[in-house]
Amino acid sequence: MSTVGGIEQLIPDSVSTSFIETVNGSHQFTIQGYSLAKGMSPGKFIQSDIFSVGGYDWAIYFYPDGKNPEDQSSYISLFIALASDSNDIRALFELTLMDQSGKGKHKVHSHFDRALEGGPYTLKYKGSMWGYKRFFKRSALETSDYLKDDCLVINCTVGVVRARLEGPKQYGIVLPLSNMGQGLKDLLDSEVGCDIAFQVGDETYKAHKLILAARSPVFRAQFFGPIGNNNVDRIVIDDIEPSIFKAMLSFIYTDVLPNVHEITGSTSASSFTNMIQHLLAAADLYDLARLKILCEVLLCEKLDVDNVATTLALAEQHQFLQLKAFCLEFVASPANLGAVMKSEGFKHLKQSCPTLLSELLNTVAAADKSSTSGQSNKKRSASSVLGCDTTNVRQLRRRTRKEVRAVS
Amino acid sequence: MSESVIQGSNPDRVLSPTSSKSVTQTVNGSHQFVIQGYSLAKGMGIGKHIASDNFSVGGYQWGIFFYPDGKNPEDNSSYVSVFIALASEGTEVRALFELALVDQSGKGKHKVHSHFERSLDGGPYTLKYRGSMWGYKRFFRRSILETSDYLKDDCLIINCTVGVVVSEILCPQLHSVHVPDSELGSHFGVLLDSMEGSDITFNIAGEKFLAHKLVLAARSPFFKSKFFSEFEANNTEVTINDLEPKVFKALLQFMYKDSLPEDVEPATAHTFERLKLSEIYETLIVKVLAAADKYDLIRLRLLCESHICKGVSVKSVAKILALADRYNAKELKGVCLKFTAENLAAVLETDAYQQMKDECVTLQSELLKAVAGHEEGSNSTGGAKSQSVWAQLSDGGGDTTSRHVRQRTT
């Protein structure tokens, strides 16, 4: 699809249209013998036959003495009623008293061909009606062209509202995501065809040499390389924890990270980070490029002042350059630097990776240059940072001299 | 659908020292929902909605819900509401959304509500289960809408974009880590090309193919039982007589690389219009479809169906329907029936249909069902059928507390 940007450039991947329309039908109701009908009393009606429109049944109700007693039979009433057992039917209506003289001056009340202020009318249940209590003044009716030979003719049109959905113009089949990893994972879990067992601490994990070799250059060399041992069926792993090795195996077979909390059995943030750090080291050992990147992403997400130093040390040791850059930026932030330097990890970092301190200084300096903070704040911040780092630089120099003497 | 990296905040803005940028990698897709007949839609009642057809983004199905009288009773029908709902099964789906009411005057003053191009203070939105929604109860004031350029010829147009989150990175500065696509296919592709460590030979009409039992077993229940049952575990050569070498090669490519081979014919409407049905049965893609069915390679069958689907047209659909029926291609058959129902008069006039109708009587009854389902929405006189349409129109479903969203067959 196209890039999301201005709405004018947005071309949708698919379109659907909802057509809200009416299904129309009409019925003619003839009342022969009007003079005999009148005098029934208010509220009494003559009902038409039932007719069907839009899947529902309807009937016309004619009240010769009116529906409303308060009108004292001055008006005739005309209604259209829902005759089927349904709820909330929305419709448009038209009721027409026909001019029988041929002049075409019909008396029309209609929803059609005019603006719908509140939308169509809703008939809530069987027997609900739409129409007029005062459709026509009776005295005027009896001397009009609507009454001829004691006969009235009423036309009724009903338009039932419904929605029709036109689906996407593209006829496509939705492809599920690849299940290649699941098939391999089933083999791992069921141990079908396994030909290698790894002894990791107290745990034993069975696997397939071919699959390990396909996924890791280190395993490929170990099982199928010219100096590898093709016939080995058991390998002891002594530098990786069982849970880490299990997670790595799961990745090798599925290409996705397993749920880390399931494997560690812990939900604490620090154990999560610790686990990912170890998994990253294992990924490096077995040259699993994608697993390394996934771990780097997770460690970046979870950086905090307590764990950044150990993560930075790990990144330096294994040359994870992107992760290292993230960590340096994080530590160099003025708000983080003081807190990081108080952490246990940082003390260890100073001993194991002294060259990182000079890189950290460079990062702080670069951050200062790009800062837009006020002059006085900058001075104070720079002063405090320089104060700390000066001490460290002195220690660094002294240690270097000792090393030189020892070598000579 | 393509992946894109969308930065969550303005890169020119100076960040406070403790903040970090949110960079979300999303799979994006969009859908346009046209509502023709707004004046008939309004007045249907508060909480009643009109739903778009489902569309697919990031492996999930979505639907747009338009409430002409608003979703919230307290607003007393003063506003129209618009929501996007998760229409397929899924828990904790994280996504970004954009809803735009299109200005139909040509001035381009669309009404846009968007997660894209602005800071995500709380991160992407999480849809907890099927039926969860994101949107606005007060999307637009109704009285203003009805006199605005958004309503033209009683028609409203809503554009919707969904960005399903596939990974999220919080990192200082502008650095971002690109997570590469899955490498399973390419790694086993290397294995296929080199055939190092192969342990099985297939004899296909005299041509030999080397393979690895483990890979085939992982990918096909048929081969898993063949190679790892107690009776046949030691075989080193298998002869298959009812496949052509090029078809078997395509099967191997799929099992190792999870893709169709490059030499499969392009599927265009013209291809299927031009060929006779007997000639269509001889194409590589159809033979691979048949083999996928036989060897229980479900995803390969879907890949073939999806490929053939591109060739559906008025003149070709009858032939494709026949082949879908023959090879149990259910998804493809459904698409053909739907297409035919919506273009019935034109399809019935085609030579392809005339040839097909005598051979496949059962298909015609299925076609009648599809037509009945289609015409129910246009001009039905049956009470029972209309009721389901009304249910669709007036159903209050899709509420945040409801877990059920009506799902249409694609």
Side-chain angles (χ1 to χ4, degrees):
Chain A
M1 72 152 281
S2 57
T3 304
V4 175
I7 202 77
E8 291 84 349
Q9 287 92 46
L10 182 62
I11 302 170
D13 300 317
S14 56
V15 179
S16 61
T17 303
S18 182
F19 291 88
I20 303 101
E21 311 165 310
T22 57
V23 177
N24 296 349
S26 60
H27 185 77
Q28 188 174 87
F29 183 29
T30 303
I31 297 158
Q32 184 69 62
Y34 168 78
S35 60
L36 294 175
K38 66 180 183 177
M40 301 175 72
S41 79
K44 299 295 203 295
F45 58 82
I46 300 170
Q47 181 185 326
S48 77
D49 202 356
I50 290 175
F51 58 101
S52 284
V53 178
Y56 301 99
D57 292 335
W58 308 89
I60 304 166
Y61 287 70
F62 173 66
Y63 298 74
D65 294 329
K67 192 171 195 285
N68 191 2
E70 293 165 24
D71 290 331
Q72 295 183 47
S73 302
S74 301
Y75 294 90
I76 63 167
S77 305
L78 202 56
F79 283 86
I80 178 73
L82 177 64
S84 52
D85 198 0
S86 308
N87 296 105
D88 293 321
I89 309 307
R90 305 175 68 230
L92 307 178
F93 302 101
E94 181 177 282
L95 284 169
T96 305
L97 196 52
M98 303 297 289
D99 174 1
Q100 298 189 65
S101 69
K103 295 173 190 153
K105 294 182 176 178
H106 312 305
K107 175 68 172 177
V108 183
H109 287 285
S110 180
H111 280 132
F112 298 93
D113 300 326
R114 71 174 182 141
L116 296 169
E117 295 299 323
Y121 191 79
T122 302
L123 294 110
K124 295 190 185 303
Y125 31 68
K126 181 176 181 178
S128 293
M129 292 180 161
W130 174 86
Y132 293 87
K133 291 176 182 175
R134 298 179 172 182
F135 190 86
F136 212 101
K137 201 171 220 334
R138 199 162 88 163
S139 56
L141 175 69
E142 292 171 4
T143 58
S144 73
D145 287 330
Y146 304 113
L147 187 60
K148 182 181 180 184
D149 299 331
D150 208 31
C151 179
L152 289 173
V153 179
I154 299 165
N155 271 355
C156 168
T157 302
V158 178
V160 178
V161 175
R162 74 186 33 177
R164 166 171 63 90
L165 186 62
E166 269 193 16
K169 298 305 182 185
Q170 300 162 7
Y171 294 87
I173 292 172
V174 178
L175 276 173
L177 301 177
S178 174
N179 60 350
M180 193 166 189
Q182 187 58 50
L184 293 165
K185 187 67 158 57
D186 290 343
L187 283 190
L188 180 67
D189 292 341
S190 65
E191 300 184 350
V192 165
C194 286
D195 53 358
I196 184 71
F198 293 94
Q199 184 73 45
V200 191
D202 294 332
E203 303 283 346
T204 301
Y205 300 107
K206 294 184 178 179
H208 308 84
K209 290 178 186 175
L210 184 77
I211 293 169
L212 298 177
R215 299 277 287 144
S216 160
V218 173
F219 281 125
R220 183 179 307 125
Q222 188 166 10
F223 297 135
F224 299 104
I227 59 172
N229 187 345
N230 297 1
N231 297 317
V232 67
D233 62 4
R234 175 169 287 267
I235 292 177
V236 177
I237 304 286
D238 51 26
D239 50 356
I240 302 179
E241 289 177 29
S243 60
I244 305 297
F245 191 84
K246 182 178 179 181
M248 185 180 75
L249 270 192
S250 180
F251 173 83
I252 285 174
Y253 278 71
T254 63
D255 216 29
V256 298
L257 267 180
N259 187 314
V260 172
H261 298 299
E262 282 175 13
I263 292 184
T264 61
S266 164
T267 56
S268 79
S270 62
S271 68
F272 176 89
T273 296
N274 184 258
M275 158 125 203
I276 298 298
Q277 288 171 346
H278 283 89
L279 189 54
L280 178 53
D284 188 48
L285 183 63
Y286 288 96
D287 199 5
L288 300 164
R290 187 173 140 88
L291 179 56
K292 282 194 270 183
I293 294 171
L294 290 173
C295 290
E296 287 187 65
V297 168
L298 284 176
L299 288 174
C300 288
E301 289 183 24
K302 300 295 183 184
L303 277 187
D304 62 33
V305 295
D306 291 320
N307 67 30
V308 63
T310 54
T311 303
L312 178 54
L314 180 73
E316 168 74 348
Q317 178 183 345
H318 294 274
Q319 285 299 288
F320 303 136
L321 299 185
Q322 291 191 95
L323 182 58
K324 179 179 171 182
F326 294 154
C327 292
L328 286 172
E329 295 283 349
F330 184 93
V331 176
S333 166
N336 293 335
L337 183 56
V340 170
M341 291 177 71
K342 292 172 185 170
S343 68
E344 287 298 311
F346 189 78
K347 296 173 185 175
H348 177 263
L349 185 72
K350 287 196 290 182
Q351 298 169 21
S352 61
C353 310
T355 57
L356 278 175
L357 297 186
S358 65
E359 294 190 52
L360 182 54
L361 276 172
N362 291 333
T363 310
V364 172
D368 276 355
K369 285 179 183 175
S370 64
S371 172
T372 58
S373 59
Q375 188 70 16
S376 59
N377 287 338
K378 184 176 178 181
K379 283 181 177 176
R380 191 185 311 120
S381 166
S383 173
S384 66
V385 169
L386 286 174
C388 294
D389 289 346
T390 302
T391 304
N392 293 322
V393 169
R394 285 202 209 101
Q395 289 179 357
L396 181 61
R397 286 177 184 162
R398 195 175 302 118
R399 193 178 304 131
T400 305
R401 287 202 193 110
K402 284 181 182 176
E403 288 168 5
V404 169
R405 281 197 210 103
V407 169
S408 65
Chain B
M1 316 289 172
S2 62
E3 293 188 357
S4 61
V5 176
I6 300 168
Q7 294 177 4
S9 61
N10 185 350
D12 296 325
R13 204 186 75 202
V14 176
L15 295 177
S16 68
T18 54
S19 74
S20 54
K21 291 190 170 78
S22 175
V23 179
T24 305
Q25 195 161 17
T26 58
V27 175
N28 293 352
S30 63
H31 186 80
Q32 186 176 84
F33 182 31
V34 180
I35 296 154
Q36 180 69 62
Y38 168 80
S39 60
L40 291 173
K42 67 180 184 177
M44 64 191 296
I46 294 168
K48 303 289 204 290
H49 70 268
I50 299 167
S52 75
D53 206 344
N54 288 349
F55 57 101
S56 188
V57 181
Y60 298 97
Q61 295 283 303
W62 305 89
I64 303 165
F65 289 74
F66 174 69
Y67 297 75
D69 294 330
K71 194 172 193 285
N72 191 4
E74 295 162 24
D75 290 329
N76 203 28
S77 297
S78 301
Y79 294 89
V80 299
S81 309
V82 185
F83 282 84
I84 301 168
L86 177 64
S88 58
E89 289 302 328
T91 57
E92 306 290 320
V93 179
R94 303 177 77 225
L96 309 175
F97 301 101
E98 180 175 283
L99 281 169
L101 198 53
V102 175
D103 174 2
Q104 299 186 63
S105 69
K107 295 171 190 157
K109 294 182 176 178
H110 313 305
K111 172 72 170 178
V112 182
H113 288 284
S114 182
H115 280 134
F116 302 93
E117 296 172 5
R118 74 178 178 123
S119 295
L120 298 173
D121 298 325
Y125 191 79
T126 302
L127 294 110
K128 294 187 186 303
Y129 33 66
R130 181 177 171 179
S132 294
M133 290 181 154
W134 174 88
Y136 292 86
K137 291 176 182 174
R138 298 180 171 181
F139 189 84
F140 211 101
R141 187 174 268 278
R142 198 163 91 162
S143 55
I144 300 175
L145 176 69
E146 292 173 3
T147 56
S148 72
D149 288 328
Y150 303 112
L151 187 62
K152 183 180 181 183
D153 300 327
D154 210 30
C155 177
L156 289 173
I157 301 176
I158 299 170
N159 279 349
C160 165
T161 303
V162 178
V164 178
V165 174
V166 293
S167 67
E168 185 175 4
I169 304 156
L170 294 172
C171 56
Q173 302 298 323
L174 288 172
H175 297 299
S176 67
V177 181
H178 170 65
V179 179
D181 294 330
S182 172
E183 294 170 324
L184 277 177
S186 62
H187 281 171
F188 286 101
V190 170
L191 208 56
L192 176 65
D193 295 337
S194 70
M195 276 308 157
E196 287 178 16
S198 65
D199 54 358
I200 185 72
T201 302
F202 287 90
N203 187 338
I204 314 294
E207 196 165 331
K208 298 253 200 267
F209 293 90
L210 300 179
H212 306 84
K213 290 179 180 178
L214 276 178
V215 176
L216 272 54
R219 299 285 279 152
S220 164
F222 175 92
F223 286 115
K224 186 173 186 179
S225 64
K226 189 171 188 63
F227 295 139
F228 293 101
S229 67
E230 55 183 319
F231 302 111
E232 306 192 60
N234 294 321
N235 282 2
T236 56
E237 180 158 333
V238 171
T239 298
I240 298 181
N241 292 318
D242 58 355
L243 284 183
E244 294 175 39
K246 63 180 182 178
V247 176
F248 188 77
K249 187 176 177 184
L251 259 59
L252 283 185
Q253 158 124 5
F254 168 77
M255 286 190 277
Y256 280 79
K257 300 186 181 180
D258 203 46
S259 62
L260 285 175
E262 291 78 16
D263 54 346
V264 156
E265 307 91 346
T268 62
H270 181 65
T271 301
F272 288 98
E273 287 168 10
R274 186 187 78 245
L275 296 176
K276 298 173 190 169
L277 187 54
S278 57
E279 290 168 337
I280 290 175
Y281 287 149
E282 292 303 308
T283 59
L284 178 58
I285 187 68
V286 173
K287 290 183 175 181
V288 173
L289 173 65
D293 185 44
K294 172 175 178 176
Y295 291 99
D296 205 13
L297 296 165
I298 294 169
R299 184 170 157 82
L300 177 57
R301 190 173 70 206
L302 284 173
L303 282 168
C304 294
E305 292 184 52
S306 178
H307 189 81
I308 294 169
C309 191
K310 298 169 195 165
V312 169
S313 71
V314 165
K315 290 184 179 177
S316 69
V317 66
K319 301 174 195 172
I320 297 178
L321 183 54
L323 87 88
D325 186 58
R326 177 190 270 209
Y327 297 118
N328 296 318
K330 298 189 190 86
E331 300 286 336
L332 182 58
K333 188 176 182 181
V335 167
C336 291
L337 289 171
K338 183 184 176 191
F339 180 95
T340 304
E342 293 178 9
N343 300 275
L344 187 60
V347 171
L348 295 190
E349 293 293 323
T350 61
D351 293 341
Y353 177 78
Q354 299 301 321
Q355 291 163 19
M356 180 207 76
K357 66 178 183 178
D358 297 328
E359 301 173 17
C360 311
V361 177
T362 56
L363 276 178
Q364 294 186 58
S365 71
E366 293 188 53
L367 187 52
L368 281 171
K369 290 178 189 172
V371 171
H374 171 63
E375 292 212 331
E376 175 179 294
S378 60
N379 195 13
S380 172
T381 55
K385 292 168 186 171
S386 298
Q387 189 60 45
S388 68
V389 176
W390 269 112
Q392 179 196 358
L393 184 61
S394 60
D395 181 16
D399 205 277
T400 308
T401 55
S402 168
R403 292 179 179 239
H404 174 74
V405 168
R406 186 171 174 273
Q407 196 165 9
R408 287 173 66 97
T409 308
T410 55

